[in-house]
Amino acid sequence: MKRNSKPKADGLQQGRKAIDQLDKELVRLLAERMKAVQGIADAKRQNPDAPLRDDGRERELFEVWSREAVGHDLSGYFAGRVLREILNWSRREQERQLRPKSEETSTGAVRVGYQGVPACYSDLAITKLFSTRDHKGLARQGFRSFGAAIDALEAGEIDYALLPIENTIAGSINDVYDLLARRNVTIVGEEIIDVEHCLVALPGTKLEDVRVVRSHPVALQQCREFLDNLVGTVAESYHDTAGAARSIAVEKAVDVAAIASEESAAHYGLQVLARKVHDQRENMTRFLLIAREPEAFDKRWPSKSSLVISVNHRQGALLACLQAFATQGVNLTKLESRPLAETPWEYLFYLDIEGRIDDPGVAAALEELRVHTNRLKVLGSYPRCVSETEGVQVAAPQAPAKRNGKVKDGVSMPKIPAAPKKNGALRLAGSREDKSRTRVRIGGVEIGGSQFVVISGPCAIESREQVLESAAMVKACGARIMRGGAFKPRSSPYSFQGLGFEGLDMLREAGRAYEMPVVTEVLRIEDAGRIAEKADMLQVGARNMQNFALLRELGRLDRPILLKRGMSATIEEVLMAAEYIMDAGNNQVVLCERGIRTFETATRATLDVSAIPVLKSRSHLPVIVDPSHAAGVRDLVIPLALAATAAGADGLIVEAHPRPEEALCDKDQALTRGDLEELIHALRPIVAAQGRTL
Ligand code: PEP
Ligand code: MN
């Protein structure tokens, strides 16, 4: 390189010296300013009533900076940009100060999982997010997939997982949404990072040497214009951006470049050939911090809640949900739909709203939402990431809520407010103020509406022929839904235990052939998901009514649940079991009275007819009755069924078999074809008198 002449070099050096001095001073002032910010955070902590953000004050600052800047012949816009960044970090510092000290800080490093390899964008997001949290070091762990990170989180091997949820160019990351809907985890924070793609390669590689550009397909897509101009190169997809950078370092490939972050180039000893190679100017990715349990945070922070819902299959149900937010003045910031895997043409909706779930407006909107949804799961309430681009235009801080138990320092756990006194702990299953009733849809059949629904079929699925024959029989008699046990809970281990999944396939085939949705019992938690893929409704048997782990698991599925009353369960306990399912997110519960144990031995169980009106007055859920297991013998089934119908049941579930004498299970109580015809005939006037149809 040609050396500069001496006087020029002197001028350059002097100028640089002056700048270095000024920069030092700038940094010192920034540090001092940050100390002052800490003082403010302290003051805000002392006074939980003080608002965290003061938009007026921020606006004033911008005006002052702009005025000062112009006075110094500096661009007001430039000063504003700098101030925006300073305010951003001030807010982060306050957030860190106001965050309750987490337990991990006392026990050691926080273990954070992400998908990818070191120096990937997720890893960078971890660095940024945890800069606002107190901790004694970060122990990061990269996983091969999003699911593997969530597995480790659920197993307690890590404290958090940080996963990407959306990108401004590429859109939503659906796999992460689906994991959130299904797994037992909660969102506790979010972070947004600027994605600045660079073209990186081994030191010494020149742009014209590059023959292959390797990266994640989405990154390649985001840099298409740049790549189109690189004549003579081919794009090669790789499972992640930082991994592509690493592969070049490992292979020592001289004619390969990767699209990755500047940080990953530094991490793997590569050089940057070109910066900001993505097409759109703004390329940002939002990440979610996921934990096992919700975390407390200061109520004054701008916050956000995420939900997943599936709406009733009724006209206007989605509109009613959205209306609920509008009525309560809750700002809906995102709505995303995903197809439901098990039910073609039905959808799950993911929503982001502003505010915490214990904000009165949000809580009221959620109450309203429950009426219109089959499923409602709160994915988390967490401090909102006030992004760099948001400037001062963020919502005014909410006044600290004093309603539900004043909390020290204004820091509290976001949780759904306590139930109205009237319903005790039955927050979800208890009857509603407006007396509205839930209708549960199973395939095309609705229970709890104007139609009285008869479910029928054999106790157990015994063979393909038996189940097809049974289906033809019950359909001809007027049953709308078919029952049949594939997994049988038998009192004796030596009795027939059911045909399992093979039997379930037969039941499904029969249901399809005769156009009836099917219901079957789930015995084990680990089978629930697989059974839900084949059955239209899942039954919790009497023996499992208080298997709370099973109830929770069923609460996570998008399938209606038939909940049978335990043989020695009180009405309160049945409702509490329903509450478990609903609390896990599934609102589609049908209650079933099937007789209880009393001192009486003349019948298999004693049908508790009074439970029908009691359940219907204490809960909004539909109630059906199983006279078969209460009676235990064929002759009693019809009178009990008629009594239950007269008492207000929404439907019946009765066992029937083409040849009861051959039944492998509960043969004494199975109705014949003739019996079933007789029952339906006798039901007609009772059902009609109640203004319903059969
Ligand atoms: C059944 O419906 O097959 C059954 C076993 O019922 P319950 O759980 O009510 O005994
Ligand atoms: Mn049975």
Side-chain angles (χ1 to χ4, degrees):
M1 199 202 291
K2 196 174 152 241
R3 282 206 129 251
N4 287 321
S5 62
K6 204 161 189 298
K8 255 193 189 163
D10 270 359
L12 188 64
Q13 249 155 26
Q14 263 174 24
R16 283 188 175 156
K17 226 177 177 171
I19 285 178
D20 289 351
Q21 204 51 44
L22 286 166
D23 282 352
K24 242 188 191 160
E25 190 64 7
L26 267 177
V27 173
R28 193 188 60 75
L29 285 170
L30 281 174
E32 216 163 282
R33 192 185 192 283
M34 204 53 105
K35 272 206 200 96
V37 167
Q38 283 164 8
I40 290 187
D42 270 345
K44 286 178 179 171
R45 196 175 32 227
Q46 308 291 331
N47 178 11
D49 287 343
L52 276 195
R53 298 203 50 185
D54 186 339
D55 283 356
R57 158 90 183 144
E58 288 190 5
R59 219 166 292 127
E60 215 173 275
L61 275 181
F62 275 97
E63 276 162 24
V64 170
W65 272 60
S66 168
R67 220 179 310 122
E68 288 282 318
V70 172
H72 288 291
D73 241 359
L74 194 68
S75 147
Y77 173 73
F78 166 56
R81 291 285 303 210
V82 174
L83 177 62
R84 200 154 79 177
E85 195 63 17
I86 291 175
L87 289 183
N88 242 325
W89 284 92
S90 302
R91 277 185 225 122
R92 285 177 161 260
E93 176 57 23
Q94 292 192 39
E95 194 181 338
R96 190 181 66 78
Q97 294 257 333
L98 288 169
R99 193 177 287 285
K101 307 283 174 252
S102 69
E103 278 165 36
E104 287 87 354
T105 54
S106 56
T107 52
V110 187
R111 301 164 300 170
V112 191
Y114 62 96
Q115 188 266 323
V117 297
C120 67
Y121 289 107
S122 297
D123 195 12
L124 305 183
I126 291 174
T127 306
K128 187 173 178 195
L129 187 145
F130 281 90
S131 70
T132 65
R133 294 178 158 236
D134 277 322
H135 55 83
K136 287 192 181 149
L138 291 173
R140 303 161 194 241
Q141 197 180 338
F143 289 90
R144 287 188 46 194
S145 65
F146 301 136
I150 296 292
D151 286 344
L153 178 64
E154 282 192 319
E157 291 156 15
I158 51 175
D159 304 309
Y160 298 101
L162 190 85
L163 303 181
I165 191 72
E166 62 178 323
N167 173 268
T168 48
I169 301 177
S172 288
I173 294 138
N174 294 325
D175 293 349
V176 176
Y177 269 124
D178 292 346
L179 282 168
L180 286 167
R182 280 166 203 278
R183 301 301 198 88
N184 204 7
V185 292
T186 179
I187 307 169
V188 296
E190 66 172 357
E191 186 57 272
I192 297 172
I193 65 162
D194 278 312
V195 174
E196 293 200 348
H197 288 316
C198 299
L199 188 73
V200 306
L202 282 179
T205 300
K206 286 200 266 327
L207 196 53
E208 54 270 28
D209 302 336
V210 175
R211 290 287 158 267
V212 176
V213 177
R214 193 178 280 171
S215 195
H216 189 277
V218 171
L220 292 171
Q221 177 89 17
Q222 291 174 349
C223 305
R224 211 165 43 198
E225 245 172 70
F226 173 81
L227 292 174
D228 284 348
N229 288 325
L230 278 189
V231 274
T233 61
V234 290
E236 186 182 290
S237 55
Y238 205 79
H239 49 78
D240 66 75
T241 56
R246 184 173 68 174
S247 73
I248 293 173
V250 171
E251 293 166 17
K252 302 203 172 20
V254 291
D255 57 350
V256 182
I259 286 174
S261 67
E262 175 140 23
E263 288 82 354
S264 66
H267 189 89
Y268 295 109
L270 304 178
Q271 62 161 349
V272 174
L273 291 179
R275 285 192 172 75
K276 292 207 177 188
V277 295
H278 44 269
D279 305 339
Q280 271 93 342
R281 211 166 57 86
E282 301 277 19
N283 184 357
M284 292 185 284
T285 299
R286 188 160 72 91
F287 291 83
L288 296 177
L289 185 66
I290 303 165
R292 285 183 295 277
E293 299 290 339
E295 286 182 352
F297 65 94
D298 197 300
K299 282 203 154 198
R300 294 167 293 176
W301 274 110
S303 55
K304 202 170 176 181
S305 298
S306 298
L307 316 169
V308 53
I309 62 172
S310 71
V311 298
N312 296 345
H313 205 76
R314 262 190 287 280
Q315 211 172 13
L318 179 63
L319 184 65
C321 289
L322 302 184
Q323 190 63 48
F325 290 117
T327 309
Q328 295 296 336
V330 174
N331 197 6
L332 180 71
T333 57
K334 184 169 186 196
L335 175 64
E336 177 86 32
S337 74
R338 289 280 298 142
L340 259 174
E342 306 90 27
T343 328
W345 318 121
E346 291 199 13
Y347 299 87
L348 276 184
F349 295 94
Y350 292 91
L351 298 88
D352 282 349
I353 51 175
E354 279 178 15
R356 291 167 51 125
I357 42 169
D358 49 358
D359 289 341
V362 175
L366 288 192
E367 281 300 304
E368 173 83 34
L369 223 60
R370 295 206 190 268
V371 179
H372 306 288
T373 52
N374 290 337
R375 180 146 188 257
L376 192 166
K377 185 183 177 195
V378 176
L379 300 177
S381 262
Y382 47 96
R384 191 149 61 89
C385 179
V386 181
S387 84
E388 279 77 353
T389 52
E390 220 170 334
V392 287
Q393 259 76 268
V394 294
Q398 293 124 8
K402 293 185 197 136
R403 309 158 265 275
N404 356 306
K406 196 126 177 357
V407 196
K408 205 173 87 226
D409 291 357
V411 170
S412 71
M413 195 71 91
K415 54 173 188 273
I416 299 173
K421 276 239 153 44
K422 184 175 76 78
N423 282 334
L426 293 175
R427 205 156 44 70
L428 307 173
S431 56
R432 303 192 187 111
E433 202 101 290
D434 63 0
K435 300 268 174 275
S436 63
R437 305 208 62 84
T438 286
R439 288 176 279 170
V440 174
R441 238 175 63 107
I442 302 103
V445 183
E446 197 172 65
I447 301 184
S450 60
Q451 192 170 59
F452 183 87
V453 177
V454 175
I455 304 173
S456 190
C459 179
I461 297 152
E462 299 163 9
S463 68
R464 188 165 171 270
E465 292 65 40
Q466 173 248 16
V467 81
L468 282 167
E469 211 179 325
S470 301
M473 175 181 116
V474 303
K475 174 82 181 187
C477 292
R480 304 265 166 196
I481 299 176
M482 177 166 194
R483 65 151 286 151
F487 300 89
K488 293 304 302 174
R490 303 304 300 273
S491 300
S492 162
Y494 309 117
S495 307
F496 174 63
Q497 304 285 310
L499 297 181
F501 285 105
E502 226 178 297
L504 182 55
D505 284 337
M506 297 171 190
L507 178 67
R508 184 185 161 91
E509 185 194 342
R512 289 278 143 101
Y514 292 92
E515 292 181 334
M516 285 180 289
V518 297
V519 54
T520 200
E521 179 166 353
V522 182
L523 285 186
R524 307 191 311 164
I525 295 170
E526 53 271 43
D527 294 339
R530 229 176 119 193
I531 295 177
E533 286 168 19
K534 302 274 169 81
D536 303 286
M537 184 183 216
L538 306 186
Q539 176 175 326
V540 178
R543 290 154 193 83
N544 264 318
M545 190 206 80
Q546 285 187 315
N547 182 342
F548 300 117
L550 179 66
L551 298 176
R552 282 209 177 282
E553 186 62 30
L554 297 178
R556 278 185 218 128
L557 299 173
D558 296 301
R559 275 281 177 264
I561 306 299
L562 177 58
L563 177 64
K564 297 190 100 180
R565 180 180 182 179
M567 281 178 246
S568 53
T570 64
I571 289 173
E572 187 69 18
E573 287 165 339
V574 182
L575 291 172
M576 218 42 97
E579 192 77 20
Y580 261 96
I581 299 169
M582 298 175 82
D583 181 54
N586 190 344
N587 296 336
Q588 312 165 78
V589 181
V590 174
L591 306 171
C592 179
E593 161 61 36
R594 47 79 71 207
I596 50 175
R597 280 265 162 93
T598 66
F599 52 81
E600 186 52 70
T601 53
T603 47
R604 183 173 172 180
T606 300
L607 184 70
D608 182 8
V609 178
S610 30
I612 303 159
V614 174
L615 284 171
K616 291 197 72 166
S617 79
R618 291 207 193 158
S619 171
H620 55 83
L621 296 171
V623 178
I624 69 165
V625 169
D626 174 350
S628 305
H629 290 87
V633 288
R634 189 168 305 115
D635 293 350
L636 297 180
V637 173
I638 294 179
L640 293 184
L642 299 180
T645 308
D650 295 300
L652 296 170
I653 176 166
V654 281
E655 289 186 348
H657 197 287
R659 285 169 302 282
E661 64 286 358
E662 289 174 18
L664 294 178
C665 185
D666 287 349
K667 58 159 73 142
D668 297 336
Q669 67 198 36
L671 298 190
T672 62
R673 183 189 187 107
D675 296 329
L676 196 56
E677 279 167 354
E678 185 186 331
L679 168 62
I680 302 278
H681 181 74
L683 280 173
R684 285 194 194 283
I686 306 175
V687 168
Q690 291 170 331
R692 285 182 137 156
T693 52
L694 238 181

